[in-house]
Amino acid sequence: MKTFLTSIISFLMVLNIIAAPAPTTPKSAKDAKATASKPVKKAVTKATATAQKSASKAPATVAAPTNIYAAITMLSETNLYEIAGTVTPECQIDKIVFRKLSKMGIKPLICSDAVFVRRAFVDVIGTIPTVKEARDFIQDKDPNKRKALIDNLLERNEYADYWAMKWGDILKIKAEFPVNLWPNAAQAYHHWIRSSLRDNKPYDKFVREMLVSNGSNFRVGPVNFYRAVQNKTPEGLATVVALVFMGSRAENWPTNTLIGMEAFFSQITYKPTREWKEEVVFWDTEKDYTLQQEAIAAAEALATNVASSATNAVSKQATNAVAKQVTNAVPQVTIVPPVAKVPREGVFPDGKKVKLPRDRDPREIFADWLITPKNPWFTKNIVNRMWSWLLGRGIIHEPDDIRPDNPPSNPELLEYLQKEFVASHYDMKRMFRLILNSKTYQLSSINSKPGDPKAEANFAFYPVRRLDAEVLIDVINKFTGQSDLYTSAIPEPFTFIPDNKPSVAIMDGSISSSFLELFGRPARATGLEKERMNRPLATQRMYLLNSGQIQRKLETGPMLKFVLGKNHRSPEITEDIYLTILSRFPTFAEVKNVEEYAKLGVVKGRDMWVDLGWALLNSEEFLYRH
């Protein structure tokens, strides 16, 4: 028998399934279907013809199209990725988006049910459907099944896990360097975020709790917002607040704007306790943050430097005497206890000034200004982020770079989403539901106007993107029935990761694996959206093609044992494997390709099905959202 690698190469050649390092955009509608998914490049090219010619001439080894299986595969060949026909806008989002597309001469198409079920699972809960979930959805004739699926996904436990991971990236939940939250604090922070998302806590309340919290970092989760920063000065804290809750990069602001905002965070104090690494974060009414204090420190430093310079200029024998003379010669600085004088005036980013009373936490004053429908940043930031999470790019792009000279591609759409979010009382699930049910979200991933950047900026198609590192390994483990080991470079005494825990549910960014690092999991150092690297690399491709770890998962996992244990015929086994990995039925041509490979005799029996799983795993259709 030939080696495993030889068999894989042979199978890839038969199926023409090896994917390029990055997805390409079809040059015309004629080759769009083949471009949309490399794993079926050969099969789909001739799919329509095959379906028409094979209906009455099906080979003996493949069931003739008289049962539901064959009927579905015949349909899928002509309707694999999108549904032909005019798309009618059904909600205000579609009316706004399609109006612009019409002016551009673009006629979008809706994605197929097989594409939608996988897309919705990946985008909402960070995994793919099971064989039964995919089969039942595709075969369901209910016209409202997409709406029902969305409602179901938003209520599943995986929703909280997946979106807690997303927020963990933005809020930098990481026990070790460079954030150094410590494991207890990271777990408390993650638990609070996950619980808030699970319970659908209103976004305004979610943000306010982080901004005004006081207490132990081990016991009060949201207080870790002020600890998950590398620069704990008022300037550093103001910069993080601007990025996370306003979608604005303060380093691009005028200097006076940032200084005015610092006043709201000038009285935050960190106090250690007797418990190792525990800190209490609180509003300190006695904290001094004045130029007087800085001047005193500067004078002390000046006196020390002058004395030191003079002392070094004399001989060792006279050191003590000269030092005493120089010290006496330096104008004496009267060191007085710091007076509790904090900035009595703050300036909001919009330029409005406000008095800061001594009996009220300045953070509360800032939160009152920020969390209001009239605020120009608050709702704009979050609805733009939520849109980008689902549609691949923000209406303002990048989603955390809101500034006057970076206008939205569709101002009317952004304004509408803001109004809806406020009207819903900042209900995040309702906003997700609104976007997911739109035809705009459900468009095909095939670009009818390749090369036109305006088509992408105006959401003429669903953008193809590689799966997140955590989602990718979780999906591989899901269909192989295996698990990975997640560890931290620095031992964490309070961390336990069960064997069956998905990586999207890991609360601490310090706990990782070689796979997650290779496939671009963010370091959680900056909180920027672009920190996650989903750009495909040659090293990633080589790993998936040659990894012994992936091979063992396929060979020893229970997935194949279960499929082969059904005593099904070859076409039915092929169907189960396609539904398991790609969440769709194989086309008639794809079934024939598998049979052709079996006839080559490169490998036999169970090994052939391992090869098929490996080949599909390396396809762009599996690796990418589409």
Side-chain angles (χ1 to χ4, degrees), residues 350-581:
D350 61 2
K352 181 181 178 181
K353 296 181 180 180
V354 62
K355 296 294 183 181
L356 302 179
R358 296 180 182 277
D359 59 349
R360 192 180 182 198
D361 188 341
R363 296 175 300 168
E364 294 182 357
I365 298 173
F366 181 82
D368 289 343
W369 169 83
L370 177 68
I371 305 170
T372 172
K374 297 181 180 180
N375 187 282
W377 286 282
F378 185 63
T379 53
K380 181 186 297 183
N381 165 59
I382 186 58
V383 300
N384 188 56
R385 283 186 188 267
M386 295 174 78
W387 181 273
S388 73
W389 291 336
L390 295 178
L391 274 297
R393 64 175 288 139
I395 304 170
I396 297 176
H397 188 69
E398 296 174 359
D400 50 14
D401 191 19
I402 297 176
R403 45 189 164 83
D405 56 346
N406 185 25
S409 60
N410 193 325
E412 184 183 1
L413 174 61
L414 186 59
E415 183 179 356
Y416 169 73
L417 294 177
Q418 290 179 251
K419 289 181 179 178
E420 285 296 312
F421 194 50
V422 172
S424 71
H425 304 290
Y426 303 98
D427 187 328
M428 286 189 279
K429 283 189 177 180
R430 185 180 181 277
M431 178 54 59
F432 277 138
R433 187 176 287 109
L434 181 68
I435 298 172
L436 291 165
N437 277 298
S438 70
K439 288 292 190 293
T440 302
Y441 171 77
Q442 299 177 23
L443 292 181
S444 165
S445 59
I446 299 173
N447 183 2
S448 62
K449 294 190 71 173
D452 184 356
K454 292 183 179 180
E456 181 180 4
N458 286 281
F459 315 105
F461 58 94
Y462 179 90
V464 176
R465 295 163 285 156
R466 207 208 68 208
L467 297 178
D468 295 338
E470 299 93 332
V471 174
L472 182 56
I473 190 60
D474 285 350
V475 168
I476 293 174
N477 287 334
K478 182 176 182 177
F479 71 68
T480 60
Q482 300 287 297
S483 61
D484 270 32
L485 176 65
Y486 301 104
T487 61
S488 173
I490 301 175
E492 300 191 352
F494 306 103
T495 301
F496 170 72
I497 305 297
D499 289 340
N500 62 346
K501 194 178 189 70
S503 64
V504 296
I506 295 175
M507 72 293 293
D508 181 2
S510 299
I511 302 172
S512 189
S513 69
S514 57
F515 185 97
L516 296 179
E517 298 299 321
L518 175 61
F519 282 84
R521 186 195 196 198
R524 293 187 174 178
T526 67
L528 293 170
E529 297 273 1
K530 65 182 180 181
E531 192 176 19
R532 178 176 290 277
M533 297 295 293
N534 282 351
R535 185 173 62 251
L537 303 174
T539 51
Q540 298 169 357
R541 176 65 63 204
M542 294 302 295
Y543 175 85
L544 291 174
L545 285 170
N546 298 286
S547 168
Q549 179 191 24
I550 300 297
Q551 177 184 342
R552 285 189 297 273
K553 287 179 183 291
L554 287 166
E555 290 180 337
T556 63
M559 183 271 288
L560 275 181
K561 294 180 181 178
F562 175 76
V563 172
L564 298 179
K566 294 181 178 180
N567 295 319
H568 285 167
R569 294 176 303 161
S570 174
E572 293 167 322
I573 295 174
T574 302
E575 173 187 316
D576 278 353
I577 293 177
Y578 266 78
L579 283 169
T580 298
I581 300 176

Side-chain angles (χ1 to χ4, degrees), residues 62-74 569 571-572 575:
V62 180
T66 56
N67 56 29
I68 190 168
Y69 161 71
I72 289 175
T73 56
M74 291 300 179
R569 294 176 303 161
E572 293 167 322
E575 173 187 316

Side-chain angles (χ1 to χ4, degrees), residues 11 76 89 108 111 134 143 195 210 252 277 322 328 344 356 388 423 427 470 473 488 499 541 570 578 581 621 626:
F11 199 18
S76 66
C111 68
S195 298
M210 282 186 274
N252 298 325
K277 294 293 185 178
V322 174
N328 292 332
R344 294 276 62 101
L356 302 179
S388 73
D427 187 328
E470 299 93 332
I473 190 60
S488 173
D499 289 340
R541 176 65 63 204
S570 174
Y578 266 78
I581 300 176
E621 185 172 358
H626 56 83

Side-chain angles (χ1 to χ4, degrees), residues 180-191:
N180 299 319
L181 273 179
W182 195 246
N184 308 50
Q187 292 179 32
Y189 200 9
H190 180 272
H191 176 74

Side-chain angles (χ1 to χ4, degrees), residues 11 14-15 58-63 69 569-572 574 588-601 603 608-609 612:
F11 199 18
V14 171
L15 295 183
T61 53
V62 180
Y69 161 71
R569 294 176 303 161
S570 174
E572 293 167 322
T574 302
F588 190 78
E590 287 169 335
V591 174
K592 289 182 64 178
N593 283 344
V594 173
E595 292 182 340
E596 289 176 8
Y597 177 68
K599 293 176 182 178
L600 292 177
V603 291
M608 191 200 77
W609 301 113
L612 175 59

